[in-house]
């Protein structure tokens, strides 16, 4: 009796194992096939959507000439997110039949999701080649329509508002550990980093630290712009770096070699710490996705970008 | 006759539904374990990272070339913060349970039970936020260091472990037969002697289970801890040092890494390690549960 029950339970467990394997392989299998079907559905949407508008011609409040419709989904870089969100809102005003959703998640998430076909646009602070396998990165098309500036920030009471590039580098590499060594107060420096995989950090390492990684050890790491701001605002002697779009007056933006970190100075070419924001699509974009990416280069967006401390439209063209 | 048939049908139907749900849960569990295991083993199988390096190196540079995948910093960080949390939480929680069950069963229970339930209901992000807004500045201004520290993480965890430990410990104490208590009192032992010499040893397996569950809670907590420990790649030399934990490295880097690349798979390996640790805890609890302190 007892024996048979035992055998029964062993059988049951092995059946479960098989079933879970089936479930799993089904899941991973669908990831590969999702891409083409998703592409198809987007183009379908725009096609069927145009029929909708023509039959709906009686409704006056929708722009009559607008035959653009469908959905656009974008995900990825949180540094880019505020601008893309604002641009999407404006775009939807102009094209009421288009639904644009913008999510964060980080550059890596954006790139893997666009590569899997889960979203139409993957926003990234870094080149796809730096995150994805070479063959996967090759499938993606880079649209460099936005530039974003970055600035070093410090706690308000450090007594310095300007650093030379060498001083900045020495601080993050751990060679300068007290603010008095750069003309400030006698206050220990507290370095606040982003995680090693962060796009913001990658830009700083490349442009400001000449490719050298900042010190680890007794430093803090915060994973979002919000927590970086809060930490630097509250920790005496703290220094970190941030996208210009997130800067507010709870912290002090540090001038670099006497140059203020502003959009104007980046466009003028005097302030060096900025990078392209990449909007990746899988293959050449079509329909609403293409329209949205084209819209990102217009001066409508350039104006939104200026308000939010990004560089887009004709301003971005000057940087190329 | 008819009603009997209907009853039988109901019976069969109920059995079928519950059986189906049970199977579903088991399938989900197995799928999760298999998924995490297959993802977590990728860096060892496909990328040739040695498991020994993973467990013993402190160099974590997964995007470098060649990548360095050493998780020891995070393992130590998790253990230090959780164990510190347990050291604070276990005595307080178990004392509360004793108070609730043995010393003031009437009003103590009425007062403490809702408190414990309230603690469970507070989301972990709120604990973390309070820790970040109150505890971190307090430690920085009054004790020293940056505020972001093992101390802050351990204190936040201690509060979060409290409901788990207290309720499991209270159940264990309640399960002790009343005769044991009465026999001890009849022999002339005072209440404190009874609690210390009779009740606590009798409830020991249950109390250990409570502590292990609390420890598991601490090791698995991500958000609240991440907000107050500073996340430094640092082996702590004092309670005031910032640390990094296994959960915080996963939440920090998962968004910045792309699926099916080494930096992302390395995070899955840490997830697998967390799973393995909780499996060990479950086995420990099973083992302790089999032992009975009294016959």
């Amino acid at each position: 009796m007892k024996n048979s029950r035992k055998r029964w339970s062993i059988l049951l467990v092995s059946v479960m194992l098989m079933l879970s394997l089936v479930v799993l392989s089904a899941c991973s299998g669908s990831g590969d096939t999702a891409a083409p079907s998703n592409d198809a559905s987007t183009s379908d949407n725009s096609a069927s959507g145009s029929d909708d508008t023509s039959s709906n011609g009686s409704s006056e409040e929708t722009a009559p000439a607008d035959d653009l419709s469908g959905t656009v989904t974008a995900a990825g870089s949180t540094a880019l997110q505020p601008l893309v969100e604002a641009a999407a809102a404006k775009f939807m005003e102009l094209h009421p039949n288009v639904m644009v959703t913008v999510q964060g998640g980080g550059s890596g998430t954006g790139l893997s999701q666009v590569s899997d076909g889960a979203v139409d646009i993957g926003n990234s602070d870094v080149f796809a080649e730096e995150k994805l396998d070479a063959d996967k990165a090759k499938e993606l098309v880079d649209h460099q329509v936005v530039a974003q500036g970055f600035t070093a920030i410090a706690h308000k009471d450090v007594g310095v508002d300007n650093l030379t590039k060498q001083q900045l580098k020495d601080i993050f590499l751990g060679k300068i550990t007290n603010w008095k060594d750069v003309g400030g107060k006698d206050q220990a420096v507290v370095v606040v980093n982003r995680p090693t995989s962060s796009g913001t950090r990658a830009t700083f390492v490349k442009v400001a630290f000449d490719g050298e990684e900042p010190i680890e050890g007794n430093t803090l790491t915060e994973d979002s712009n919000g927590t970086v701001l809060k930490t630097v605002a509250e920790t005496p002697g703290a220094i970190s770096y941030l996208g210009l779009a997130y800067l507010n007056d709870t912290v002090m933006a540090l001038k670099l070699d006497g140059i203020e970190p502003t959009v104007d100075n980046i466009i003028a070419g005097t302030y060096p710490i900025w990078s392209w924001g990449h909007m990746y699509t899988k293959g050449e974009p079509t329909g609403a996705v293409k329209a949205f990416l084209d819209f990102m280069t217009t001066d409508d967006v350039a104006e939104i970008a200026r308000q939010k401390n990004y560089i887009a439209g004709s301003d971005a063209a000057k940087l190329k | 006759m008819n009603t009997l048939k209907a009853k039988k049908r109901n019976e069969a139907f109920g059995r079928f539904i519950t059986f189906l749900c049970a199977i579903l849960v088991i399938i989900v569990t197995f799928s999760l374990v298999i998924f995490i295991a297959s993802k977590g083993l990728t860096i060892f199988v496909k990328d040739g990272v040695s498991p020994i390096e993973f467990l013993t190196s402190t160099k974590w540079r997964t995007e470098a070339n060649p990548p360095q995948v050493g998780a020891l910093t995070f393992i130590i960080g998790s253990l230090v913060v959780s164990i510190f949390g347990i050291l604070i939480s276990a005595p307080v929680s178990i004392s509360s349970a004793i108070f609730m069950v043995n010393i003031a069963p009437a009003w103590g229970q009425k007062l403490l039970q809702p408190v414990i339930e309230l603690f469970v209901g507070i989301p972990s992000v709120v604990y973390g936020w309070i820790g970040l807004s109150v505890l971190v500045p307090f430690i920085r201004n009054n004790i020293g260091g940056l505020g972001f520290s093992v101390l802050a993480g351990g204190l936040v965890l201690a509060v979060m472990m409290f409901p788990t430990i207290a309720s499991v410990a209270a159940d264990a104490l309640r399960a002790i037969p009343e005769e044991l208590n009465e026999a001890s009192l009849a022999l002339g032992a005072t209440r404190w002697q009874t609690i210390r010499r009779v009740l606590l040893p009798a409830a020991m397996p249950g109390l250990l289970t409570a502590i292990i569950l609390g420890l598991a809670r601490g090791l698995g907590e991500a958000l609240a801890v991440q907000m107050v420990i500073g996340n430094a790649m640092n082996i702590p030399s004092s309670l005031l040092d910032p640390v990094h934990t296994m959960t915080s490295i996963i939440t920090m880097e998962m968004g910045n890494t792309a699926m099916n690349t080494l930096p992302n798979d390395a995070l899955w390996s840490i997830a697998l390690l967390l799973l393995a640790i909780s499996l060990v805890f479950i086995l420990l609890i099973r083992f302790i549960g089999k032992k009975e302190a009294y016959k």
Side-chain angles (χ1 to χ4, degrees):
Chain A
M1 178 66 194
K2 208 176 171 189
N3 234 344
S4 74
R5 190 177 289 170
K6 203 166 190 179
R7 214 176 298 146
W8 174 232
S9 67
I10 289 173
L11 191 75
L12 202 66
V13 165
S14 40
V15 168
M16 304 281 176
L17 270 170
M18 304 267 274
L19 272 177
S20 17
L21 277 175
V22 169
V23 170
L24 276 178
S25 58
C27 285
S28 53
S30 68
D32 299 333
T33 52
S37 70
N38 196 46
D39 282 355
S41 72
T42 344
S43 44
D44 274 2
N45 268 352
S46 47
S48 66
S50 52
D51 288 348
D52 270 4
T53 37
S54 52
S55 62
N56 266 359
S58 54
S59 56
E60 237 81 339
E61 63 271 21
T62 57
D66 184 37
D67 58 349
L68 189 69
S69 69
T71 59
V72 180
T73 49
S77 162
T78 49
L80 279 174
Q81 196 181 0
L83 175 67
V84 183
E85 268 173 357
K90 183 81 182 162
F91 186 73
M92 284 189 282
E93 256 174 47
L94 299 172
H95 305 284
N97 295 320
V98 181
M99 181 69 203
V100 186
T101 46
V102 182
Q103 297 158 15
S107 301
T109 303
L111 287 169
S112 31
Q113 289 205 354
V114 73
S115 172
D116 290 345
V119 296
D120 299 318
I121 301 172
N123 300 326
S124 173
D125 300 343
V126 296
F127 284 96
E129 289 77 11
E130 290 173 35
K131 296 277 178 191
L132 295 174
D133 294 338
D135 48 334
K136 285 219 167 150
K138 230 181 279 169
E139 297 171 350
L140 300 181
V141 180
D142 189 2
H143 306 271
Q144 299 181 357
V145 291
V146 183
Q148 44 190 346
F150 296 92
T151 177
I153 56 171
H155 187 261
K156 279 191 159 176
D157 299 331
V158 296
V160 186
D161 67 349
N162 176 47
L163 291 174
T164 66
K165 192 179 165 204
Q166 190 60 44
Q167 285 171 334
L168 183 68
K169 187 177 158 186
D170 285 348
I171 286 176
F172 277 94
L173 297 188
K175 289 175 194 154
I176 294 174
T177 56
N178 195 307
W179 284 102
K180 70 172 190 246
D181 296 336
V182 290
K185 283 204 311 190
D186 183 7
Q187 165 84 52
V189 172
V190 178
V191 171
V192 182
N193 273 314
R194 299 290 292 273
T196 47
S197 52
S198 145
T200 303
R201 172 165 166 158
T203 302
F204 251 82
V205 166
K206 201 158 95 188
V207 183
F209 311 150
D210 303 321
E212 290 187 60
E213 286 286 338
I215 47 157
E216 302 291 354
N218 231 348
T219 62
L220 303 176
T221 313
E222 296 296 339
D223 71 337
S224 75
N225 295 291
T227 44
V228 164
L229 268 176
K230 189 170 166 65
T231 305
V232 173
E234 292 179 358
T235 309
I239 185 168
S240 188
Y241 38 83
L242 193 71
L244 274 184
Y246 284 92
L247 187 63
N248 66 27
D249 56 10
T250 60
V251 296
M252 184 171 55
L254 294 168
K255 286 185 250 179
L256 187 69
D257 293 321
I259 313 277
E260 264 186 76
T262 62
V263 165
D264 288 325
N265 287 338
I266 292 172
I267 298 171
T270 50
Y271 183 80
I273 309 178
W274 63 274
S275 75
W276 285 107
H278 306 263
M279 296 177 80
Y280 279 99
T281 53
K282 189 169 186 174
E284 285 298 336
T286 56
V289 179
K290 179 168 177 16
F292 181 60
L293 286 169
D294 288 343
F295 176 72
M296 291 300 295
T297 64
T298 63
D299 280 341
D300 278 351
V301 174
E303 197 176 308
I304 301 171
R306 269 185 177 267
Q307 286 163 12
K308 295 193 171 288
N309 279 324
Y310 291 93
I311 303 145
S314 49
D315 291 338
K318 290 176 201 157
L319 290 170
K320 294 223 173 179
Chain B
M1 262 316 264
N2 265 340
T3 53
L4 193 66
K5 243 184 192 165
K7 264 188 185 166
K8 264 195 171 164
R9 212 183 306 129
N10 269 342
E11 186 86 357
F13 182 68
R15 246 179 92 137
F16 177 68
I17 292 289
T18 47
F19 181 70
L20 210 67
C21 292
I23 295 270
L24 187 74
V25 169
I26 296 172
I27 290 177
V28 168
T29 312
F30 269 116
S31 307
L32 274 175
V33 172
I34 294 171
F35 181 75
I36 296 173
S38 72
K39 283 293 232 177
L41 293 173
T42 308
I43 61 162
F44 306 119
V45 178
K46 200 183 99 197
D47 303 297
V49 175
S50 99
I52 300 188
E53 182 200 336
F54 179 71
L55 291 174
T56 57
S57 159
T58 59
K59 291 261 181 306
W60 180 265
R61 283 241 184 279
T62 53
E63 299 207 328
N65 197 11
Q68 294 171 301
V69 191
L72 186 65
T73 318
F74 314 120
I75 298 170
I76 291 177
S78 277
L79 289 178
V80 166
V81 175
S82 300
I83 290 172
F84 180 63
I86 274 287
L87 287 180
I88 299 171
S89 194
V92 176
S93 312
I94 292 176
S95 305
S96 311
I98 293 172
F99 181 77
M100 192 165 85
V101 176
N102 298 109
I103 295 181
W107 63 272
Q109 179 122 354
K110 253 186 213 139
L111 198 73
L112 269 172
Q113 199 67 41
V115 169
I116 291 173
E117 278 154 16
L118 194 71
F119 268 112
V120 176
I122 299 174
S124 64
V125 63
V126 175
Y127 283 118
W129 202 14
I130 294 171
L132 180 60
S133 309
V134 181
L135 203 56
V136 168
F138 180 84
I139 292 172
R140 182 172 57 231
N141 297 333
N142 296 295
I143 304 175
L146 303 172
F148 297 93
S149 55
V150 176
L151 181 63
L155 286 173
V156 167
L157 272 189
V159 177
M160 300 183 73
M161 291 164 173
F162 166 73
T164 311
I165 305 180
S167 49
V168 177
D171 285 344
L173 288 167
R174 274 192 208 107
I176 301 171
E178 188 55 26
E179 290 85 8
L180 243 67
N181 192 12
E182 283 163 5
S184 168
L185 293 174
L187 285 172
T190 64
R191 183 159 71 180
W192 178 240
Q193 283 169 333
T194 305
I195 289 170
R196 209 168 71 89
R197 297 279 171 82
V198 179
L199 298 185
L200 281 187
M204 196 45 84
L207 299 182
L208 284 177
T209 302
I211 290 175
I212 292 173
L213 281 175
L215 202 58
R217 172 93 181 83
L219 279 172
E221 176 54 42
L223 198 58
V225 174
Q226 184 202 317
M227 288 164 86
V228 300
I229 55 168
N231 310 304
M233 302 265 184
N234 182 31
I235 307 247
S237 53
S238 98
L239 280 181
L240 297 176
D241 276 0
V243 283
H244 222 317
T245 65
M246 290 192 267
T247 46
S248 63
I249 188 70
I250 294 178
T251 54
M252 285 210 147
E253 295 212 324
M254 63 182 180
N256 293 325
T257 55
M259 280 292 254
N260 300 322
T261 59
L262 185 134
N264 193 272
D265 290 339
L267 299 178
W268 283 107
S269 301
I270 291 183
L272 180 63
L273 188 60
L274 277 167
L275 184 72
I277 291 174
S278 38
L279 277 178
V280 169
F281 282 161
I282 291 168
L283 290 178
L284 257 179
I285 291 171
R286 286 272 158 133
F287 179 71
I288 292 168
K290 277 201 184 126
K291 284 191 164 178
E292 281 193 47
Y294 63 95
K295 289 267 151 75

